[in-house]
Amino acid sequence: MGGLEKKKYERGAATNYITRNRARKKLQLSLPDFRRLCILKGIYPHEPKHKKKVNKGSTAPRTFYLLKDIKFLLHEPIVNKFREYKVFVRKLRKAYGKSEWGTVERLKDNKPTYKLDHIVKERYPTFVDALRDLDDALSMCFLFSTFPRTGKCHVQTVQLCRRLAVEFQNFVIASRSLRKVFLSIKGIYYQAEVLGQPITWVTPYAFAHDHPTDVDYRVMATFTEFYTTLLGFVNFRLYQSLNLLYPPKIDTQTEDELKPAEGKEYAMDSESYLERLSALSSSLARAVAPAHEDEVEMDEFPVEGETAELMDAKKKEQEALEKHKKLFEGLRFFLNREVPREPLAFVIRCFGGQVSWDKSLCIGATYDASDPSITHHIIDRPRLDKQVVGRYYLQPQWVFDSVNAKLCLPVADYFPGLLLPPHLSPFVTEKEGDYVPPEKLKLLALQRGENPEEESEEEEEEEEEEEEEGDNDKEEEEEEDESEKEEEMKLQKMEEQKMEEQKTQSTQSKKVLPVKVTAGKVRLEDKQRLEQEQQQEEKRLAIMMMKKREKYLYKKIMFGKKRKIREANKLAEKRKAHDAALKEQKKRNKKARQA
């Protein structure tokens, strides 16, 4: 039969993909420009299902992109800007070579620039979409804001990231939307709830930064270029939602308090604005002054399909959230010089507390260490020589643990010089069968309103009494053991003699089995046991009737569950051994003191 000849690799999966080199030639861009364009537009390589077919029979390693994505890039206006920038660089190099300084200045004044506003609107059609993708943007901006002024990245980028990060922190403080904090090896993890969307980001510790050699800063800088534009849009919209001025301005009342005494300036005029904002100790100015109105209870209308129990649960959850937001309200904190100022000030202010520090440490101090109204003094040294009566001296971990526990924890475990309790992650939720550490159980008991400390003290006292009784008993037992051994020997001899006598009697007696008829007993059936047996049998039959693929998946699931149980048991045994070792150490120390 006639017809067109079918050629290989000209239809199907082979036509849906394009290699990176072909895509570059199609767009007429160099590799760095192509990489930048893909990062900005959010286009990433794809792994084809049948790589050999797409690669036209070859097995060589190649990077593939979807053809429709590359066609989409053909109409991007930034591509023309990249080409204009190439021409600009070529002209500038030529002008420098000819020493035409007038031309150099003119070219620099007319340097081609581009904006990424249209890409942000294109990638995030709604504001909620932007919030959902804000985690990476915040982490990257907080990272770049800590970079030193070296040649690795532009100073303007570092300053812009710092400004945007401080603006976002001030919004979180104003809206009181922080929910969780966790101090890890990598940095400090925060989670805030903004318009119902959880946003998690990590900020590095304020240590000296050493640039690693195996990191490509150009790729990171391209991501940061897009993320700063996105964060600028988001900050503007968030400030508008709270009736705050953007760019943010410090409230006039607090601004008067923050002015340094005796005319001493902490920073240059150009930098003092950002420094005061980054102090995080002052409230922001509002676009319209808020009118003080009496609190009115809102009418509640039940949603379709919602029961009274669900309504009550939601109401309790809302009340608990409001209580959590006002955790540190009415408390005044003072931070000592050695503690990390910014994270502590940020967390305390997010939950309604007032915070200050030494004036020589940073701009923004609102009261001195001698202020009698201070309730909590945060220090990180073994002891303080001069202590003021009426305030708690605590280690910084108390603030973070209290936030995660959603209540002000007992201060006895956090006094200076004491060994701190473990810092539990609020991002871990234990499921049924998982190992739950005793500290978590104690925390859950505190949240329920119980007092686990009294119970633990009673248990310790009982254990000590038992140990003392055990020691006395051991001494008595040792004395009694000797006399008992002698008696046992006598009894054994007597029993042996009796056994011999019985044997001789049994051989002499006739070998006749005694036959007896006894009344039968009614056997009661255990219904629960029968039900369990029936369920087990049904389960066994159901497994037998499964298909091979389903049975394989079921076995994998059961294996995973058993492994989880084994790991939980192993952790419980480790903890038991650790606690036993601690008890033994305490006993030795006690005996040493008594001796």
Side-chain angles (χ1 to χ4, degrees):
M1 287 181 69
L4 291 169
E5 186 188 348
K6 286 185 179 179
K7 290 184 180 180
K8 247 186 172 184
Y9 313 121
E10 286 193 5
R11 62 181 64 199
T15 58
N16 294 335
Y17 294 93
I18 186 171
T19 60
R20 189 173 67 178
N21 279 339
R22 279 181 61 204
R24 242 180 4 92
K25 285 170 185 174
K26 198 177 185 74
L27 292 165
Q28 297 177 6
L29 288 172
S30 63
L31 185 59
D33 285 346
F34 176 74
R35 194 182 280 134
R36 280 182 73 198
L37 184 64
C38 287
I39 289 169
L40 295 173
K41 293 289 283 183
I43 288 165
Y44 300 98
H46 285 264
E47 187 74 19
K49 199 172 183 181
H50 304 288
K51 200 167 183 181
K52 200 171 179 183
K53 282 182 185 177
V54 174
N55 214 357
K56 296 182 180 177
S58 173
T59 54
R62 284 199 178 97
T63 308
F64 292 98
Y65 289 84
L66 285 172
L67 187 62
K68 62 177 184 180
D69 288 345
I70 302 304
K71 284 181 178 176
F72 171 63
L73 288 178
L74 284 167
H75 308 288
E76 179 54 50
I78 285 181
V79 175
N80 290 327
K81 291 288 181 184
F82 284 169
R83 288 169 188 152
E84 285 175 21
Y85 190 78
K86 266 192 169 182
V87 173
F88 159 75
V89 169
R90 192 164 62 243
K91 284 181 178 178
L92 194 66
R93 197 183 289 122
K94 196 175 180 182
Y96 268 117
K98 291 184 176 181
S99 302
E100 295 174 353
W101 308 117
T103 313
V104 168
E105 292 300 320
R106 179 175 55 78
L107 285 168
K108 281 184 178 178
D109 291 340
N110 298 318
K111 184 182 176 181
T113 55
Y114 58 88
K115 288 188 175 181
L116 304 175
D117 300 2
H118 66 285
I119 296 179
V120 172
K121 290 174 188 173
E122 183 185 285
R123 284 178 66 175
Y124 306 108
T126 63
F127 185 55
V128 175
D129 292 331
L131 287 177
R132 282 176 187 155
D133 205 26
L134 204 63
D135 296 6
D136 291 336
L138 280 170
S139 297
M140 189 68 88
C141 285
F142 273 96
L143 173 66
F144 265 71
S145 66
T146 60
F147 280 179
R149 295 187 177 188
T150 58
K152 286 285 181 185
C153 52
H154 295 293
V155 175
Q156 291 84 359
T157 308
V158 174
Q159 288 173 343
L160 177 61
C161 287
R162 177 65 180 159
R163 181 175 67 79
L164 291 168
V166 166
E167 284 172 5
F168 186 79
Q169 281 184 316
N170 275 291
F171 163 78
V172 173
I173 289 168
S175 61
R176 294 199 183 179
S177 52
L178 192 68
R179 296 288 174 269
K180 295 174 183 178
V181 195
F182 179 58
L183 308 174
S184 77
I185 296 167
K186 291 180 181 177
I188 305 172
Y189 283 87
Y190 297 102
Q191 190 178 79
E193 194 178 333
V194 180
L195 302 181
Q197 299 298 323
I199 297 169
T200 311
W201 73 97
V202 60
T203 63
Y205 293 111
F207 296 136
H209 186 79
D210 183 26
H211 289 291
T213 53
D214 57 343
V215 175
D216 192 348
Y217 280 88
R218 289 174 299 176
V219 174
M220 287 176 69
T222 309
F223 274 105
T224 309
E225 187 182 358
F226 174 74
Y227 287 151
T228 48
T229 311
L230 169 64
L231 196 54
F233 270 91
V234 171
N235 281 354
F236 174 76
R237 181 75 181 272
L238 291 174
Y239 272 70
Q240 294 295 315
S241 68
L242 282 185
N243 185 28
L244 295 168
L245 289 171
Y246 190 84
K249 289 183 180 176
I250 296 167
D251 199 8
T252 49
Q253 294 176 352
T254 53
E255 196 172 2
D256 296 336
E257 292 174 16
L258 291 175
K259 280 181 182 175
E262 300 175 10
K264 289 180 182 177
E265 292 294 336
Y266 283 84
M268 288 168 20
D269 293 335
S270 58
E271 293 178 352
S272 62
Y273 160 72
L274 184 61
E275 286 292 324
R276 288 182 184 188
L277 263 182
S278 60
L280 306 174
S281 62
S282 53
S283 54
L284 302 176
R286 297 187 179 272
V288 181
H292 294 285
E293 296 178 0
D294 297 329
E295 288 185 8
V296 181
E297 285 190 10
M298 300 290 285
D299 293 331
E300 293 176 359
F301 300 99
V303 184
E304 286 181 12
E306 226 178 43
T307 59
E309 289 177 3
L310 277 171
M311 288 285 288
D312 289 341
K314 279 189 176 179
K315 197 173 181 182
K316 282 178 183 176
E317 197 177 324
Q318 191 62 32
E319 285 172 2
L321 184 63
E322 290 300 320
K323 192 181 176 184
H324 189 212
K325 285 180 181 178
K326 297 175 181 178
L327 183 66
F328 296 141
E329 209 161 71
L331 303 179
R332 285 166 75 87
F333 293 81
F334 188 85
L335 308 180
N336 234 37
R337 298 182 67 88
E338 68 276 2
V339 301
R341 187 197 64 81
E342 193 169 305
L344 280 167
F346 174 58
V347 172
I348 290 165
R349 290 267 292 126
C350 279
F351 292 94
Q354 288 180 295
V355 65
S356 185
W357 45 85
D358 195 82
K359 282 184 178 178
S360 61
L361 181 65
C362 180
I363 195 170
T366 49
Y367 47 86
D368 294 325
S370 57
D371 196 316
S373 62
I374 292 169
T375 56
H376 294 75
H377 195 125
I378 309 298
I379 68 168
D380 198 10
R381 53 180 75 181
R383 63 176 183 275
L384 204 67
D385 295 333
K386 293 180 181 178
Q387 292 192 5
V388 180
V389 179
R391 71 172 73 164
Y392 292 115
Y393 288 86
L394 302 170
Q395 296 188 54
Q397 193 182 313
W398 179 83
V399 175
F400 302 111
D401 284 352
S402 296
V403 167
N404 295 333
K406 299 181 182 179
L407 54 94
C408 286
L409 291 172
V411 294
D413 297 334
Y414 297 89
F415 287 142
L418 291 180
L419 185 69
L420 288 167
H423 180 55
L424 301 170
S425 171
F427 298 98
V428 176
T429 49
E430 285 85 4
K431 295 174 187 173
E432 194 178 349
D434 288 354
Y435 168 73
V436 184
E439 288 81 14
K440 187 71 178 275
L441 295 170
K442 187 180 173 184
L443 200 64
L444 292 168
L446 280 168
Q447 287 173 348
R448 289 193 298 270
E450 298 169 11
N451 195 356
E453 285 184 2
E454 289 179 3
E455 293 174 9
S456 62
E457 282 173 8
E458 286 172 8
E459 284 175 7
E460 282 177 7
E461 284 173 6
E462 284 174 8
E463 283 175 5
E464 283 176 6
E465 286 172 8
E466 284 174 7
E467 284 168 10
E468 286 173 4
E469 285 172 8
D471 292 339
N472 296 331
D473 291 344
K474 276 180 185 177
E475 289 174 3
E476 289 172 7
E477 280 171 7
E478 284 174 2
E479 291 172 2
E480 289 171 3
D481 277 350
E482 292 176 1
S483 58
E484 280 178 5
K485 280 177 184 177
E486 290 174 3
E487 287 175 6
E488 279 176 10
M489 291 289 285
K490 287 177 183 177
L491 286 167
Q492 276 179 359
K493 284 178 182 178
M494 288 171 75
E495 280 175 5
E496 284 172 6
Q497 286 173 1
K498 279 182 183 178
M499 289 290 286
E500 284 174 5
E501 286 172 7
Q502 282 175 3
K503 278 179 184 177
T504 53
Q505 285 174 8
S506 63
T507 51
Q508 289 170 5
S509 64
K510 292 177 182 178
K511 295 178 180 178
V512 179
L513 292 169
V515 179
K516 287 183 182 179
V517 180
T518 53
K521 290 181 181 178
V522 179
R523 188 182 173 187
L524 294 169
E525 289 184 345
D526 192 354
K527 288 182 180 179
Q528 283 185 349
R529 189 174 61 79
L530 285 170
E531 278 179 16
Q532 282 178 357
E533 284 177 1
Q534 193 176 347
Q535 284 174 1
Q536 284 173 356
E537 185 64 19
E538 284 172 3
K539 189 179 179 182
R540 189 180 68 80
L541 291 170
I543 293 164
M544 279 175 69
M545 294 298 291
M546 277 181 182
K547 291 175 187 175
K548 196 174 181 181
R549 186 183 178 83
E550 289 171 353
K551 197 182 281 185
Y552 173 75
L553 286 170
Y554 174 76
K555 282 180 179 176
K556 290 284 279 182
I557 290 163
M558 293 310 292
F559 175 76
K561 283 183 177 179
K562 283 176 184 175
R563 185 173 59 187
K564 199 175 274 186
I565 290 163
R566 279 201 307 272
E567 285 173 359
N569 291 338
K570 197 184 280 183
L571 286 169
E573 283 171 12
K574 275 187 177 179
R575 183 59 194 239
K576 199 175 178 182
H578 172 73
D579 290 345
L582 278 176
K583 270 185 190 175
E584 196 64 36
Q585 188 65 36
K586 280 181 183 177
K587 274 188 202 174
R588 286 173 190 166
N589 293 342
K590 194 176 180 182
K591 282 180 181 177
R593 282 198 299 270
Q594 285 173 357

